[in-house]
Every structure is written in structure tokens, then in C-alpha cells.
Amino acid sequence: MINAKQCRAARAWLGWSQDELAERASCARRTIAAFEQEKSVPFDRTLRDIQRALEDAGIVFLMDGTRGIGLREGLADLAGN
């Protein structure tokens, strides 16, 4: 699953506020804030919802096993589609 740095970067890439991500992931803004500040890690289900919301917007997370190492836009986005 994604880590806090990937979440912050993906949200910034998309130009989303914490409120917008929280709405799209159906969770509380304080959950996003605490995760991005590395104060807490959401429950697995909530973390999957956050990741899915970002992926649905075109973000592709780069992983090394279970460790998040980066992100990029989806190929369709890179091609201008």
C-alpha cells in the first residue's frame, strides 16, 4: 500500500486539498492530515480507499515489493488522452 510521502505527492500532483481527497476516499480530513504528517497510519481498508481515489484520478504508484518508492501519471494521461 502507499506511504505518506506518496499520498502527499499524489495529492499535490493532482492539485487536490486534503478535504477533496477525504471526500473522494470517503474518510475524514483529519485521517488524511495525520497520515500525511506520519502521525498515524489509517486502517488497511481506509488506506486502500485513499489509494483507489488517487488511482482513479490517474496516479500510478511505484512499489518495490510492499515499499512505496514513487508515483507517476497513468499512461493515458501521459499520452494526452
Side-chain angles (χ1 to χ4, degrees):
M1 283 190 252
I2 66 170
N3 61 44
K5 291 176 185 169
Q6 287 177 304
C7 184
R8 281 192 308 268
R11 189 174 58 75
W13 193 311
L14 294 168
W16 288 0
S17 65
Q18 288 180 343
D19 286 323
E20 185 166 0
L21 176 55
E23 182 177 325
R24 290 174 182 252
S26 300
C27 67
R29 188 205 55 79
R30 68 182 173 274
T31 300
I32 302 292
F35 178 49
E36 289 185 351
Q37 294 169 8
E38 300 183 39
K39 291 183 178 180
S40 68
V41 177
F43 291 114
D44 285 350
R45 182 189 58 128
T46 304
L47 198 51
R48 281 192 299 271
D49 291 343
I50 293 168
Q51 182 171 340
R52 185 174 302 113
L54 295 165
E55 288 173 339
D56 287 351
I59 297 295
V60 175
F61 293 98
L62 307 176
M63 308 298 282
D64 181 11
T66 59
R67 189 174 138 254
I69 59 171
L71 59 95
R72 66 174 172 79
E73 284 184 289
L75 295 177
D77 295 327
L78 292 174
N81 297 326

